[in-house]
Amino acid sequence: MAERSTEARHRHSVGLHHIAPAETLSRLLEAQMAAVQAVHTALPALEAVAEAASAALRRGGKMAYAGAGSSGLMALADCLELPGTFGIPPDRTPMLFAGGAVALLHMTGDVEDDPALAAADFAAAGLAAGDVMLCLSASGRTPYALELARAAKAAGVTVAGFANVPGSDLLALADLPVLLDTGPEVVSGSTRMGAGTAQKVALNLVSVLVGIRLGHVHDGFMVNVVADNAKLKDRAARIVAALSGVDHAAALAALAVTAGAVKPAVLVAGGRSAAQADDDLKRSAGHLAPYLG
């Protein structure tokens, strides 16, 4: 049945316990590569999700992540990277993970079946109409994910549902359904493998496109970071130098004026005052492109 496709037998599962280790790894890698390829057909849906999420963040709203088990871990990994990569404050990207922080140290399956837990987590996230929730479930029928999706829709939150099974409940509930049809797992039912890989790739694509749409990426540079340690200060100076054409010392001087913020430092390095740089960025909604050749 369609709803059990992640539980079905994979053609590479037969004999997995006694074949040579090199062949085992080869089979596993082939399955992982096939999972990544499955993301191709979801690109239009991922674009729609990124557009909705970037619009919500641009309005001052939130882009939440939600999930349980392996799917939740994939969501959490992407969520945690957003402040350091794109400078998006954590309170704008809440994470709803079944079982909370305790489950990160000892994952148990029962928390994903608790609708009351999902309701409490949704209430605590402070989501409102106009926000977006990225809700993940490999099977598309995890009770925690489904309860969150229902609560979100009732509150006017746009639900982007990511599932790996065609025709699943989460896809039917979602405003923006994303099917990642990865099929059976080499280790049957272990959705941390192909399904999880496809989910993480899909989330990578969405979050980078969100960053670009918000003006936080320019020519492949992370321009919305704030340099607050030695590694980031060096990276920020290289970004400012590359985009403004000044040398490393001048880039560092510009960053000192802007308290380590890269976007205004690029404009300061080009001759603006810090106040002028801030005003220009407000006019362009945070995009550097109108001011750079």
Side-chain angles (χ1 to χ4, degrees):
M1 295 175 63
E3 67 268 27
R4 298 189 188 132
S5 64
T6 54
E7 303 287 337
R9 292 282 286 164
H10 193 284
R11 62 188 179 88
H12 283 337
S13 296
V14 178
L16 196 65
H17 62 286
H18 65 64
I19 61 175
E23 175 62 18
T24 300
L25 294 176
S26 179
R27 290 187 186 187
L28 292 173
L29 178 58
E30 182 181 327
Q32 292 284 287
M33 294 171 66
V36 172
Q37 289 299 313
V39 180
H40 270 289
T41 58
L43 290 180
L46 297 177
E47 180 181 353
V49 173
E51 290 296 331
S54 59
L57 290 169
R58 195 179 297 115
R59 291 191 300 265
K62 297 181 180 181
M63 176 180 71
Y65 289 76
S70 296
S71 294
L73 291 176
M74 296 303 101
L76 178 65
D78 201 67
C79 180
L80 291 178
E81 294 282 2
L82 297 181
T85 306
F86 302 121
I88 301 174
D91 63 353
R92 302 281 300 282
T93 58
M95 177 70 215
L96 291 76
F97 183 75
V102 173
L104 296 177
L105 298 177
H106 180 66
M107 291 179 63
T108 58
D110 58 336
V111 290
E112 70 178 45
D113 295 330
D114 188 347
L117 176 62
D121 287 351
F122 181 80
L127 298 175
D131 291 337
V132 173
M133 174 189 288
L134 279 55
C135 191
L136 283 74
S137 167
S139 67
R141 58 182 182 179
T142 306
Y144 180 84
L146 295 178
E147 186 65 24
L148 286 176
R150 294 187 188 102
K153 286 177 69 70
V157 175
T158 297
V159 176
F162 294 70
N164 299 78
V165 177
S168 54
D169 293 344
L170 180 58
L171 296 178
L173 270 172
D175 301 295
L176 300 170
V178 180
L179 171 62
L180 304 169
D181 191 2
T182 48
E185 301 283 358
V186 177
V187 178
S188 298
S190 181
T191 53
R192 72 183 184 88
M193 302 293 289
T197 293
Q199 289 173 348
K200 186 61 178 76
V201 170
L203 291 175
N204 285 345
L205 301 183
V206 168
S207 57
V208 171
L209 185 52
V210 167
I212 292 170
R213 297 294 288 153
L214 293 175
H216 298 341
V217 178
H218 184 93
D219 275 352
F221 290 115
M222 297 182 290
V223 293
N224 205 47
V225 297
V226 175
D228 58 3
N229 63 35
K231 178 185 75 173
L232 287 180
K233 286 177 182 176
D234 180 66
R235 178 185 296 164
R238 286 186 280 112
I239 292 171
V240 172
L243 293 179
S244 66
V246 302
D247 62 21
H248 192 77
L252 287 172
L255 285 163
V257 171
T258 64
V262 170
K263 281 185 190 177
V266 171
L267 300 183
V268 168
R272 290 171 174 80
S273 69
Q276 289 172 328
D278 287 340
D279 288 342
D280 284 344
L281 288 169
K282 287 177 183 176
R283 277 192 290 272
S284 67
H287 290 260
L288 283 169
Y291 311 113
L292 301 179

